[in-house]
Amino acid sequence: MSERIAQLDVRRRAPTVIVGLLVGFALLYIIVLATPSTDIGGNWRTTTFGSAIDDWQSFTRTLLNGLTFAALLFIVASGFSLIFGLMRVVNMAYGSLYLIGGYVAYEVQQKMTGSGFTIPGIEVSTWEWVLPAMVAAGVVGLIGLFVQQVFLSWNQGQELRQALITIAISVIIADQIIAHFNKGLASTVTWPGWSNRLVELPLLGVDYSLARLVMLFLGVAVGFALWVWLYRTRTGLVIRAGVDDLQMTSALGVNIKRTLALAFVVGSALAAFGGVVGASQGAVAPGQDGQWLLNSLVVVIIGGMGSLLGAAVGSLLYGLTFSFSAVYLPTIGDNCCTQYSIVFTFILLALVLAFRPQGLFGKFT
Amino acid sequence: MTRDPKQITERIIGLVAVCFLLLAPVLVSNYWVDVILTQMLIVGIAAASLIFLAAYGGMISLAQTALAGTAGFILGNLATVGGEGGESKGLSLGWDPTLSLVIAIVGTVLIGLFFGAIAARSTGIYFLMITLTFSVIGFYFVGQVTVISGFSGIGGINRYTPGFVGDMVNDRFRLYYIAFGVAVLVYAAIRFIVRTPFGLSLQGVRDEPVRMSSLGYAVPLHRTLAFGLAAFFAALSGVLLVWWQGQIAPGDVGLPATIDLLIVAVIGGLARIEGAWIGALAFILIGNYIRDSWLTQLLDDLHIGGSFNTIIGLIFLLIVIVSPDGLVGLWDRLWGRLRSGGDSDAPGAPVSPVGAVPREV
């Protein structure tokens, strides 16, 4: 009898052990096994930079790239998760809100600086970045409020219908962006001039872009602000109660409709703010709405819907996987394997879904 | 029930439609046959796979476009011969077209089963999100991996067709009739499957997953198998699609294409299989005839700006708000109203997966 139980136990643990071994191997590969690329061919151990021990600086930069990307992911996905957690609305127009945020900030910054197509970074003051970001967040927050009040407030609970409605809105917005913002060209918001340089990090001895560190700081700041809001204020209390049981919260005499609208506005504003940061770091361009919808989805599927901690952990896992798989895959021949990095995003997702369908920090409803 | 006037009317309309489609090459212009009707049949098959999952499995899958594309990409990589395609990328293995066709379909079904197994433990909105994620990752995969496609895609696939299928480049009516045959088979297969024990228990899983599970039915297995079956239908549509357009590129599996297919299914109606082809026809007609009509002109006059996509989005929005069951749902409600004198919730009306308030699982 006990043998039989032991057998079952082994069988149940086998997947966990295999996954553990694979993750362990991946870490071992990055830290020790990888060797820098040579001119002639290479083998399965050949990567662009080599292992963390061989090339500490590149490893640190990759790590920082992952962390800063995770910060941007968190800014965007936390709003998506907030909206979903409270209202069960999968806002498929979320990537469109991200795009509008980036484009509005671009237009405002162009107006403020009066410059032409590209602005030299040195000419942008902190204010000339912050104000466009605030305007973008405000405008998109209002758009979110409009969408929520007109299209989503009367069909609460019909999840699929709401998803379809937001899909229709995303189709319209995508087309309208091309018609109205900068002829639908890729547009860049310029970081404030002071951040446009490399700083040498103490202890690590690595030069790194200050702007990306600002991005990391913004992500942490947004996370902290959300935490204070959700866990230290009365509104946050109501929202967390609503995430657990919307009807019961409403029955307790809370004006839940106002809370829902507020959460939708904040969620939309976060998408827009993420769009501004994303447009500053790279650019916004039509078609990125799908990409950022995907990013938000991946983060909340990994982390669990409606959980702030889940969004943070999901962002970190996705950001690091994305960053490391793009650099630390073997480069045999000219361009082998690093092009398969997208597969790792899928593997991460599949693993989480296989072990915890509700996400790492999600609850079953 | 055979005396039901609604059913009789539907049978007559169906019969007329089939006759019309059979005689279409004689009745309408070549453009109509080659572009509108052939496309309608092919897109309809893909939409039918989506509606099959939605109506009988309660799963709205956004992976059907990606699965159809998978079949197209496999076929394109295996069947084409290198060098001749000019710019086209891909492996160009030059295998036997029949073998390539079989591998493309079987491979897609296997991939579908794999995806289905991962997604099967989720339902409703989670399922939609997970399948959407699969589909977008698939898009980036074929875009990134230049060995199998790259962003330019694979061309000239329709020149390498199996012997029993024949020439697709010059004989367009042949492609039309093949698409017609496949569409009829898919329709009949779905109508048959939902009456089998598997189909019935699948509908049980849709309505009462917890009860079915405690009765001893393997709920995730049913969902996975249904997903594999839908992948098979999607694969058929994907193969026909690459024969029709001759090429396949990542754009064919991108988010806009995925959403287009969902729009087709929703316009038609997610509650009944017939909606697939009705929605496809409506969507293609809108695409062909509204593109440069007074409606787009109206956008300019109102200084709203935007193109055809704004109109498609607005139409889609209108349909989802007014009639979440699409055109077929509108038809059903019309009959319900006729029969019961104004009571639209007549008994026997099909349950829409969209309009219904989902049950807590």
Side-chain angles (χ1 to χ4, degrees):
Chain A
M1 188 67 190
S2 63
E3 254 176 50
R4 175 103 182 94
I5 289 174
Q7 256 179 358
L8 271 178
D9 206 39
V10 168
R11 204 178 297 166
R12 193 173 297 167
R13 284 212 184 142
T16 322
V17 172
I18 292 170
V19 169
L21 286 176
L22 285 176
V23 172
F25 176 75
L27 289 177
L28 193 70
Y29 187 90
I30 290 173
I31 295 171
V32 189
L33 285 179
T35 49
S37 64
T38 49
D39 291 335
I40 34 159
N43 55 30
W44 64 275
R45 288 173 58 184
T46 311
T47 62
T48 318
F49 295 138
S51 67
I53 290 176
D54 286 343
D55 192 345
W56 170 251
Q57 297 198 330
S58 299
F59 172 78
T60 313
R61 263 189 220 107
T62 313
L63 184 68
L64 284 169
N65 283 344
L67 289 176
T68 47
F69 179 56
L72 176 56
L73 283 173
F74 175 77
I75 296 174
V76 180
S78 57
F80 187 82
S81 183
L82 180 72
I83 293 175
F84 183 86
L86 197 56
M87 280 164 261
R88 307 280 129 183
V89 173
V90 176
N91 187 359
M92 305 285 267
Y94 202 69
S96 314
L97 298 178
Y98 170 96
L99 271 193
I100 298 181
Y103 273 108
V104 167
Y106 168 81
E107 298 284 347
V108 174
Q109 197 181 44
Q110 293 283 332
K111 286 269 168 8
M112 283 179 80
T113 54
S115 297
F117 192 64
T118 48
I119 314 166
I122 208 77
E123 287 174 13
V124 180
S125 66
T126 311
W127 179 241
E128 283 165 342
W129 188 87
V130 173
L131 186 70
M134 284 164 60
V135 172
V139 167
V140 175
L142 285 177
I143 294 174
L145 183 66
F146 173 78
V147 167
Q148 196 262 343
Q149 290 294 312
V150 176
F151 295 110
L152 300 174
S153 58
W154 49 272
N155 47 21
Q156 186 73 42
Q158 301 179 24
E159 299 169 346
L160 291 171
R161 193 175 188 183
Q162 291 182 324
L164 293 174
I165 287 176
T166 51
I167 286 178
I169 294 171
S170 77
V171 172
I172 298 171
I173 292 181
D175 196 49
Q176 290 295 317
I177 283 176
I178 296 174
H180 293 290
F181 289 111
N182 196 18
K183 303 184 195 88
L185 295 171
S187 306
T188 307
V189 178
T190 311
W191 282 115
W194 55 265
S195 69
N196 189 12
R197 64 191 176 90
L198 296 176
V199 284
E200 193 180 326
L201 298 172
L203 297 177
L204 301 170
V206 175
D207 288 337
Y208 199 71
S209 154
L210 184 58
R212 283 197 82 110
L213 292 175
V214 170
M215 199 158 102
L216 184 59
F217 167 77
L218 289 173
V220 174
V222 164
F224 182 70
L226 277 175
W227 179 78
V228 169
W229 188 50
L230 289 174
Y231 289 87
R232 288 290 179 269
T233 65
R234 200 185 133 69
T235 322
L237 189 75
V238 171
I239 288 178
R240 280 184 296 132
V243 169
D244 282 342
D245 194 331
L246 201 60
Q247 282 180 323
M248 195 61 215
T249 317
S250 172
L252 289 172
V254 175
N255 184 351
I256 201 73
K257 288 203 166 144
R258 214 175 57 196
T259 314
L260 292 184
L262 181 67
F264 210 94
V265 169
V266 172
S268 308
L270 281 171
F273 186 60
V276 178
V277 175
S280 310
Q281 191 50 49
V284 280
Q288 280 185 348
D289 45 356
Q291 194 184 336
W292 278 94
L293 179 63
L294 170 78
N295 288 344
S296 310
L297 282 170
V298 170
V299 168
V300 297
I301 290 174
I302 292 173
M305 326 275 174
S307 154
L308 187 64
L309 184 62
V313 173
S315 303
L316 276 176
L317 280 176
Y318 179 33
L320 291 175
T321 306
F322 186 86
S323 161
F324 275 95
S325 61
V327 177
Y328 280 94
L329 277 169
T331 50
I332 309 164
D334 287 335
N335 187 23
C336 167
C337 306
T338 46
Q339 54 177 315
Y340 292 97
S341 60
I342 187 81
V343 176
F344 280 75
T345 305
F346 176 74
I347 293 176
L348 176 67
L349 198 72
L351 282 180
V352 171
L353 284 174
F355 286 91
R356 277 185 75 86
Q358 72 272 40
L360 292 177
F361 294 91
K363 294 173 211 151
F364 268 124
T365 48
Chain B
M1 282 301 284
T2 38
R3 294 262 174 87
D4 183 1
K6 179 179 172 227
Q7 208 169 5
I8 293 170
T9 320
E10 280 177 2
R11 291 243 165 109
I12 292 172
I13 293 175
L15 207 64
V16 171
V18 168
C19 291
F20 170 74
L21 287 174
L22 271 175
L23 297 174
V26 199
L27 295 174
V28 293
S29 69
N30 283 359
Y31 175 79
W32 254 75
V33 175
D34 186 21
V35 176
I36 290 173
L37 292 179
T38 313
Q39 198 183 355
M40 185 259 302
L41 291 167
I42 296 171
V43 172
I45 297 168
S49 80
L50 198 159
I51 295 178
F52 164 68
L53 283 178
Y56 299 103
M59 304 177 271
I60 306 239
S61 159
L62 289 182
Q64 300 316 110
T65 311
L67 288 168
T70 305
F73 275 111
I74 296 177
L75 188 65
N77 275 297
L78 298 188
T80 55
V81 177
E84 243 180 292
E87 297 286 296
S88 83
K89 306 226 169 146
L91 296 171
S92 301
L93 294 178
W95 286 7
D96 175 57
T98 315
L99 182 67
S100 309
L101 179 67
V102 172
I103 294 178
I105 292 174
V106 172
T108 307
V109 171
L110 290 178
I111 291 172
L113 285 171
F114 176 64
F115 278 0
I118 297 175
R121 287 205 276 168
S122 331
T123 45
I125 205 72
Y126 293 91
F127 191 85
L128 182 130
M129 291 163 74
I130 290 167
T131 48
L132 175 67
T133 314
F134 288 164
S135 141
V136 182
I137 287 177
F139 165 71
Y140 283 111
F141 182 75
V142 287
Q144 261 182 27
V145 182
T146 45
V147 182
I148 59 163
S149 161
F151 269 97
S152 52
I154 308 167
I157 306 171
N158 53 354
R159 277 184 280 156
Y160 306 97
T161 49
F164 67 89
V165 172
D167 179 13
M168 289 293 162
V169 185
N170 301 315
D171 192 353
R172 299 299 276 184
F173 288 162
R174 181 187 283 272
L175 177 60
Y176 170 75
Y177 278 116
I178 289 172
F180 177 70
V182 174
V184 170
L185 285 179
V186 166
Y187 177 74
I190 293 176
R191 290 296 295 261
F192 172 74
I193 286 163
V194 298
R195 285 177 171 80
T196 60
F198 167 74
L200 293 174
S201 46
L202 181 67
Q203 291 167 65
V205 165
R206 171 196 67 192
D207 295 333
E208 293 280 357
V210 178
R211 188 182 293 178
M212 289 300 280
S213 175
S214 50
L215 284 173
Y217 288 90
V219 171
L221 184 67
H222 273 80
R223 293 203 183 114
T224 307
L225 287 178
F227 201 77
L229 201 62
F232 172 67
F233 300 139
L236 293 176
S237 141
V239 167
L240 290 170
L241 186 75
V242 291
W243 282 343
W244 183 67
Q245 59 187 21
Q247 54 163 354
I248 183 134
D252 292 319
V253 295
L255 187 63
T258 303
I259 288 179
D260 279 352
L261 186 65
L262 184 68
I263 293 178
V264 164
V266 171
I267 288 181
L270 285 176
R272 290 174 60 184
I273 298 296
E274 292 86 350
W277 288 277
I278 296 172
L281 183 64
F283 185 82
I284 292 160
L285 286 180
I286 292 170
N288 269 277
Y289 291 101
I290 293 195
R291 206 171 273 277
D292 299 309
S293 74
W294 57 272
L295 267 172
T296 32
Q297 190 60 43
L298 191 69
L299 284 181
D300 284 344
D301 295 343
L302 293 172
H303 299 287
I304 297 172
S307 66
F308 168 68
N309 279 336
T310 299
I311 293 173
I312 263 285
L314 287 171
I315 293 175
F316 183 48
L317 187 62
L318 195 74
I319 286 179
V320 180
I321 290 174
V322 175
S323 173
D325 300 342
L327 297 172
V328 175
L330 214 59
W331 164 259
D332 284 339
R333 252 189 292 168
L334 210 69
W335 274 95
R337 191 159 296 183
L338 270 181
R339 198 174 306 169
S340 54
D343 179 16
S344 61
D345 292 322
V351 188
S352 157
V354 181
V357 180
R359 206 182 293 269
E360 293 286 317
V361 179

